[in-house]
Amino acid sequence: MTKGRRRPSPRRLGVVACSLLLLAAAGCSDTLSVDAPRLSGADADACRALVEALPGHVADQPARAVEAGSGYAAAWGDPAIVLRCGVPRPKGFNAYSGCEDTNGVGWYIPESQRTGDVVAITMTTIGRAQNVEVRIPAAYVPPANTMVDIAPALKRTIRETRPCV
């Protein structure tokens, strides 16, 4: 009597197929979860307009899908450059804080991140009706390319209230 190969049961095939589909879906998911502030009224309108106006590439990195709840956010690249609109005033910012103007948009970068070393940076717009925060991984420092790439959308959609001095 010749021993043949046993056929796998249909149930086992189903389990294997489902497992492969789940693994494939998890591997293909490029959606980034971002904790963005919930906004309403004029803040929501301005941030929605900003997110819709943002470019498809920032610092030569392609846009990524973002899950931001009911907030407004965008991301590019991996590791991700992350933009959140409608954030509170940044910690440490005061009347004596420095401000960097790039292409007509004022940015606050905490002094602790201006080390001269390649470190991740969190910069926030200054002098705009809604604060916009951009987190830049160390891989994309210095931040000039990011600043230049998003400046046109910021200037078109987020009203300037006071220029960066």
mmCIF file of all heavy atoms in Angstrom, residues 50 86 113 132:
data_model
loop_
_atom_site.group_PDB
_atom_site.id
_atom_site.type_symbol
_atom_site.label_atom_id
_atom_site.label_comp_id
_atom_site.label_asym_id
_atom_site.label_seq_id
_atom_site.Cartn_x
_atom_site.Cartn_y
_atom_site.Cartn_z
ATOM 1 N N LEU A 50 -6.404 74.155 5.006
ATOM 2 C CA LEU A 50 -4.960 73.920 4.985
ATOM 3 C C LEU A 50 -4.647 72.495 4.549
ATOM 4 O O LEU A 50 -3.841 72.277 3.639
ATOM 5 C CB LEU A 50 -4.336 74.181 6.363
ATOM 6 C CG LEU A 50 -2.864 73.747 6.499
ATOM 7 C CD1 LEU A 50 -1.968 74.516 5.541
ATOM 8 C CD2 LEU A 50 -2.400 73.881 7.934
ATOM 9 N N GLY A 86 -4.311 73.518 14.476
ATOM 10 C CA GLY A 86 -5.181 73.894 15.588
ATOM 11 C C GLY A 86 -4.639 73.525 16.947
ATOM 12 O O GLY A 86 -5.397 73.401 17.907
ATOM 13 N N GLN A 113 16.000 72.400 21.126
ATOM 14 C CA GLN A 113 16.144 71.608 19.900
ATOM 15 C C GLN A 113 17.117 72.249 18.917
ATOM 16 O O GLN A 113 17.407 71.681 17.870
ATOM 17 C CB GLN A 113 14.777 71.417 19.245
ATOM 18 C CG GLN A 113 13.837 70.595 20.101
ATOM 19 C CD GLN A 113 12.454 70.500 19.510
ATOM 20 O OE1 GLN A 113 12.211 70.837 18.359
ATOM 21 N NE2 GLN A 113 11.513 70.045 20.316
ATOM 22 N N VAL A 132 -0.096 75.868 13.866
ATOM 23 C CA VAL A 132 0.174 74.641 13.112
ATOM 24 C C VAL A 132 1.511 74.097 13.596
ATOM 25 O O VAL A 132 2.520 74.800 13.583
ATOM 26 C CB VAL A 132 0.216 74.912 11.599
ATOM 27 C CG1 VAL A 132 0.573 73.644 10.835
ATOM 28 C CG2 VAL A 132 -1.115 75.476 11.119
#
